[in-house]
């Protein structure tokens, strides 16, 4: 059920949209006219408000800044040829935000605020949704602890905010990835399965080192044996080996990607063999050696389908088959784009028009 909260709207006097070419802006740097803000205090949520995008006056002692009680989501809205704006599987992001909230000892955000508020925001800022073939409006909902308090404890007050920005491709080209052997993204019992801000901060140094060696991203391995692949950057990983689509099984060290789920749903609908299980570097390199490694790609909201052209492991690079030969990932990429742009029937009812 959506839409029982009254949302106060403070509309901007004059839209800034004409200052930009929304089909051609760098990812995450230009923000649309409005944002949604809701505050939690005294054990309850106040009605959300939509206000002009801007800065927030907050205390330097704010607990999110010091101890990382902060979570976020990433999702997208698309515009079809008729100008209709739709969200891709927004309820999945809503549910995942609340799984993150639970793990980080934060209050759950009600559906009327997340989904109801987002729909109102999209209606107001629809002019910011790109029309280009690969363009979308990237949506960043986030929840932060706002207590002005230095003690280490769960905050009593929180802010839930949604900001949005027009986006094109996150990666402009297929990527080279390096299997990370010294650092981990997530550990058993940790927070790898949720979108906690600290997961991203901790990834920057190893990623910078990989980039200095000419790779775009790292492949994270499990923290216990370093033998099994987990994720790459901000993407879930997929391999096609001997015509079987293989991806690491979900666990408490892997984010349950909505793109991952969509890719697997399509693979199954197309009668491909799918395996969700542990996959070791040895198995991948073995398949590379005997010619059965057909495809490797990352998938995620920002990255969409990011083809992996080579995998670096212990000072050697293993080049993968040319992207043009990759039947599954190129079909999935095109099909997802068509569903999102309303060009094929939305069989799975993934799109919610606003
Ligand atoms: N894994 C990580 C660590 C991520 O940050 C993301 C991006 O959100 C994903 C996977 C992909 O998830 P989704 O497809 O829901 O965007
Ligand atoms: C997303 O794909 O939505 C993400 O959250 C990645 C982001 C950190 C750019």
């Amino acid at each position: 059920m959506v839409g029982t909260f009254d949302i106060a709207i403070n509309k901007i006097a004059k839209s800034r949209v004409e200052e930009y070419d929304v089909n051609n802006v760098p990812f995450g740097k230009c923000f649309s006219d409005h944002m949604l803000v809701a505050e939690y205090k005294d054990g309850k949520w106040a009605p959300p408000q939509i206000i002009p995008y801007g800065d927030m006056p907050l205390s330097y002692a704010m607990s999110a800044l010091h101890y990382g009680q902060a979570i976020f989501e990433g999702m997208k809205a698309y515009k079809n040829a008729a100008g209709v704006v739709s969200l891709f599987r927004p309820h999945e992001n809503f549910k995942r935000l609340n799984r993150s909230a639970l793990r980080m000892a934060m209050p759950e955000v009600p559906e009327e605020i997340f989904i109801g508020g987002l729909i109102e925001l999209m209606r107001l800022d629809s002019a910011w949704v790109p029309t280009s073939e690969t363009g979308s409006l990237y949506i960043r909902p986030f929840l932060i602890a706002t207590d002005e308090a230095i003690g280490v404890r769960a905050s009593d007050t929180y802010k839930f905010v949604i900001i949005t920005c027009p986006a094109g491709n996150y990666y402009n080209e297929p990527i080279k990835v390096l299997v990370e052997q010294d650092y981990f993204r997530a550990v058993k019992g940790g927070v790898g399965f949720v979108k906690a801000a600290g997961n991203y901060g901790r990834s920057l140094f190893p990623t910078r080192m990989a980039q200095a060696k000419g790779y775009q991203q790292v492949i994270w391995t499990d923290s216990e044996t370093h033998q099994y692949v987990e994720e790459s950057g901000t993407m879930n990983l997929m391999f096609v080996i001997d015509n079987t689509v293989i991806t690491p099984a979900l666990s408490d060290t892997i984010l349950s990607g909505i793109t991952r789920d969509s890719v697997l749903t399509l693979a199954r609908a197309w009668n491909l063999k799918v395996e969700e299980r542990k996959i070791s570097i040895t198995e991948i390199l073995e398949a590379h050696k005997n010619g059965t490694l057909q495809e490797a790609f990352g998938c995620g909201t920002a990255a969409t389908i990011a083809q992996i052209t080579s995998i670096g492991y212990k000072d050697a690079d293993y080049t993968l088959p040319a992207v043009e030969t990759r039947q599954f990932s190129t079909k999935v990429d095109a099909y997802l784009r068509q569903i999102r742009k309303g060009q094929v029937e939305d069989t799975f009812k993934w799109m919610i028009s606003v």
Side-chain angles (χ1 to χ4, degrees):
M1 257 291 290
V2 170
T4 47
F5 254 105
D6 266 347
I7 302 185
I9 300 179
N10 172 7
K11 214 170 151 187
I12 200 167
K14 185 179 180 319
S15 173
R16 289 178 286 105
V17 71
E18 274 157 27
E19 294 168 26
Y20 300 94
D21 171 5
V22 296
N23 289 314
N24 194 14
V25 286
F27 180 88
K29 291 192 172 167
C30 124
F31 295 93
S32 14
D33 286 330
H34 298 93
M35 56 197 261
L36 177 122
V37 182
E39 285 182 19
Y40 180 91
K41 69 172 180 197
D42 302 328
K44 57 179 192 298
W45 287 97
Q49 296 184 332
I50 290 178
I51 56 175
Y53 176 81
D55 297 338
M56 58 180 173
L58 282 167
S59 163
Y60 288 104
M62 179 174 96
S63 41
L65 296 178
H66 297 263
Y67 308 124
Q69 210 191 3
I71 58 174
F72 70 95
E73 269 305 320
M75 53 203 294
K76 283 178 172 174
Y78 300 83
K79 196 178 266 181
N80 71 16
V84 174
V85 172
S86 303
L87 297 159
F88 182 73
R89 308 190 71 183
H91 293 86
E92 298 305 317
N93 296 92
F94 161 66
K95 287 187 263 176
R96 190 169 65 189
L97 182 92
N98 282 338
R99 290 199 296 274
S100 299
L102 180 69
R103 177 62 181 83
M104 297 299 288
M106 302 167 97
E108 291 189 8
V109 176
E111 184 168 349
E112 310 86 275
I113 296 184
F114 188 113
I115 301 283
L118 179 56
I119 287 175
E120 286 305 322
L121 186 64
M122 289 300 99
R123 288 180 180 151
L124 200 58
D125 278 347
S126 62
W128 290 84
V129 186
T131 50
S132 62
E133 196 52 30
T134 55
S136 58
L137 190 71
Y138 185 78
I139 299 164
R140 170 53 55 87
F142 60 99
L143 177 63
I144 49 174
T146 51
D147 272 10
E148 185 175 25
I150 293 291
V152 181
R153 55 161 181 75
S155 180
D156 290 326
T157 62
Y158 295 87
K159 232 185 229 289
F160 173 68
V161 183
I162 307 180
I163 55 176
T164 71
C165 48
N169 292 333
Y170 194 71
Y171 295 112
N172 289 321
E173 286 177 8
I175 55 173
K176 278 181 73 180
V177 293
L178 176 67
V179 177
E180 174 57 56
Q181 290 287 289
D182 296 320
Y183 299 96
F184 318 112
R185 190 189 84 89
V187 294
K188 251 185 173 341
V191 295
F193 69 106
V194 297
K195 276 181 87 76
N199 285 341
Y200 298 80
R202 69 183 290 172
S203 74
L204 301 177
F205 179 69
T207 306
R208 174 186 278 174
M209 303 231 289
Q211 287 170 347
K213 294 182 192 154
Y215 300 91
Q216 279 80 37
Q217 269 304 340
V218 299
I219 283 188
W220 301 107
T221 51
D222 72 288
S223 65
E224 285 167 342
T225 68
H226 273 310
Q227 290 306 305
Y228 297 97
V229 300
E230 300 218 306
E231 303 197 52
S232 179
T234 62
M235 302 176 292
N236 292 110
L237 279 172
M238 300 265 167
F239 300 89
V240 181
I241 299 179
D242 207 7
N243 299 318
T244 299
V245 179
I246 309 174
T247 191
L250 295 178
S251 72
D252 58 359
T253 57
I254 294 182
L255 189 80
S256 169
I258 295 154
T259 321
R260 175 189 183 279
D261 181 73
S262 310
V263 169
L264 296 181
T265 301
L266 290 174
R268 290 185 173 116
W270 295 337
N271 293 320
L272 287 165
K273 205 167 154 214
V274 172
E275 293 177 2
E276 295 179 66
R277 60 166 170 83
K278 284 189 168 198
I279 173 162
S280 68
I281 314 284
T282 316
E283 178 181 354
I284 294 166
L285 297 187
E286 213 31 56
H288 178 267
K289 196 163 144 202
N290 66 29
T292 53
L293 177 58
Q294 296 155 305
E295 311 187 24
F297 60 97
C299 59
T301 297
T304 64
I305 302 293
Q307 297 289 355
I308 294 174
T309 50
S310 93
I311 300 178
Y313 178 63
K314 291 195 172 160
D315 298 326
D317 281 331
Y318 299 85
T319 304
L320 275 77
V323 171
E324 305 75 65
T325 66
R326 303 182 183 188
Q327 294 186 2
F328 175 61
S329 48
T330 49
K331 184 175 170 190
V332 127
D333 192 16
Y335 194 77
L336 280 175
R337 199 171 321 139
Q338 288 164 346
I339 287 187
R340 290 161 169 161
K341 286 281 182 181
Q343 295 161 354
V344 289
E345 194 195 341
D346 177 18
T347 327
F348 305 96
K349 304 278 172 280
W350 281 340
M351 304 308 293
I352 305 285
S353 73
V354 307

